[in-house]
Amino acid sequence: MNKINISVSIFSIALFAVVFAMQSMASENPHWEYYGDNGPDAWGRLDQSYIMCAEGKNQSPINLTNMIEGSLPDLKLKYSKSGTEVVNNGHTIQVNFAPGNTMTVEGRTFELKQVHFHSPSENNIEGKSYPLEGHFVHADKAGNLAVIAILYDHGEHNNELEKAWEYMSASSGDKHMLPNKINASKLFPEKHAYYRFNGSLTTPPCSEGVRWFVMKDINNASQRQVRKFISVIPHDNNRPLQAINAREVIQ
């Protein structure tokens, strides 16, 4: 191989490395926060893929009010002890679930993927905020999302919640396997009556078309458990309330 060919080859390799690096950088999602310059008011401007955060008309969370009566089907929950891992993802504490936990409603079956938490609560009920809210995120085989929201007030110690709380880390990115697996059904209130509305993800990209089911009954967590969550996620991690617009909240 002559010198010209060697130079061309080196240049080609270098060019490929630069292009690859630029593509990798472009593919990374822009950093968002709950506060400061990258806070909720800026989410829709951070990246084109986040545009729904600014322009969406069916955004979550909301203040649930002016509910209308409707015939809502029962939530058919089939959960087992399969919450296997607790993660600090930098925005919240999340418990990941093994396959096999399902919710069937409105003729569709969704599988529970993860549960994560917000403090204070994201959704309000008749203007009332709560110290903690859990989002049980489900997906069907086509990728459609359904979220069950459970609000927690100060009260008795929550034994099932403690299985995750005992191992949650204050360091972003930390993961811990849970020696005592979590049964998601034990994080629910006794009764499963709910409010129903159509909404979105509450974090970027704020995608709409999410089915929301907010439990009417409030569950309990001790003040110590709420304080521990706040010490690990040391800033409010709730998106501000969004306009209801023309949506109906059915009960």
Side-chain angles (χ1 to χ4, degrees):
M1 182 181 292
N2 59 38
K3 291 183 178 180
I4 294 176
N5 288 337
I6 292 174
S7 298
V8 170
S9 298
I10 293 173
F11 175 80
S12 299
I13 293 170
L15 180 60
F16 173 81
V18 171
V19 170
F20 179 81
M22 291 177 65
Q23 288 175 338
S24 298
M25 291 174 63
S27 66
E28 292 180 358
N29 291 327
H31 185 65
W32 59 269
E33 292 285 359
Y34 283 105
Y35 55 88
D37 292 341
N38 291 342
D41 289 343
W43 288 353
R45 301 191 300 271
L46 294 177
D47 189 78
Q48 183 61 32
S49 65
Y50 295 173
I51 193 65
M52 293 301 291
C53 299
E55 297 185 359
K57 301 301 181 186
N58 294 315
Q59 290 289 291
S60 299
I62 62 171
N63 175 35
L64 284 74
T65 189
N66 298 321
M67 291 73 148
I68 64 172
E69 296 295 330
S71 179
L72 294 173
D74 292 340
L75 300 179
K76 297 178 181 179
L77 305 176
K78 292 185 178 180
Y79 294 154
S80 62
K81 291 183 179 180
S82 57
T84 58
E85 180 183 57
V86 61
V87 180
N88 181 334
N89 66 16
H91 297 297
T92 187
I93 296 299
Q94 176 174 307
V95 177
N96 294 325
F97 282 77
N101 297 273
T102 62
M103 170 187 70
T104 301
V105 65
E106 299 171 351
R108 309 182 80 141
T109 297
F110 300 82
E111 186 173 66
L112 177 63
K113 301 298 183 181
Q114 49 100 340
V115 178
H116 64 267
F117 297 88
H118 298 269
S119 181
S121 68
E122 294 206 297
N123 292 291
N124 287 192
I125 298 179
E126 299 288 9
K128 180 175 174 58
S129 172
Y130 290 84
L132 189 70
E133 180 173 353
H135 288 169
F136 294 65
V137 182
H138 302 72
D140 67 11
K141 291 181 178 180
N144 298 301
L145 298 179
V147 178
I148 298 176
I150 298 178
L151 301 167
Y152 295 82
D153 207 348
H154 292 135
E156 295 181 0
H157 182 81
N158 191 308
N159 292 327
E160 202 69 18
L161 198 63
E162 190 62 26
K163 292 179 181 179
W165 258 226
E166 184 178 357
Y167 292 93
M168 66 182 179
S169 170
S171 298
S172 177
D174 273 7
K175 300 180 180 180
H176 291 279
M177 299 303 295
L178 297 175
N180 297 311
K181 295 179 181 179
I182 291 177
N183 187 335
S185 64
K186 292 186 177 181
L187 295 174
F188 276 62
E190 183 177 347
K191 296 180 180 179
H192 294 170
Y194 62 90
Y195 304 106
R196 172 74 170 86
F197 68 94
N198 292 323
S200 73
L201 299 177
T202 66
T203 60
C206 306
S207 307
E208 295 188 343
V210 179
R211 294 167 170 81
W212 277 86
F213 307 85
V214 179
M215 294 289 103
K216 287 185 176 182
D217 287 353
I218 310 302
N219 210 345
N220 289 325
S222 70
Q223 291 190 37
R224 184 194 67 80
Q225 287 176 311
V226 173
R227 287 197 300 268
K228 185 172 182 180
F229 180 87
I230 294 171
S231 72
V232 169
I233 306 294
H235 54 75
D236 291 353
N237 71 336
N238 63 322
R239 186 188 189 191
L241 294 171
Q242 304 296 299
I244 294 179
N245 295 320
R247 285 177 285 175
E248 296 178 335
V249 180
I250 303 172
Q251 66 175 354

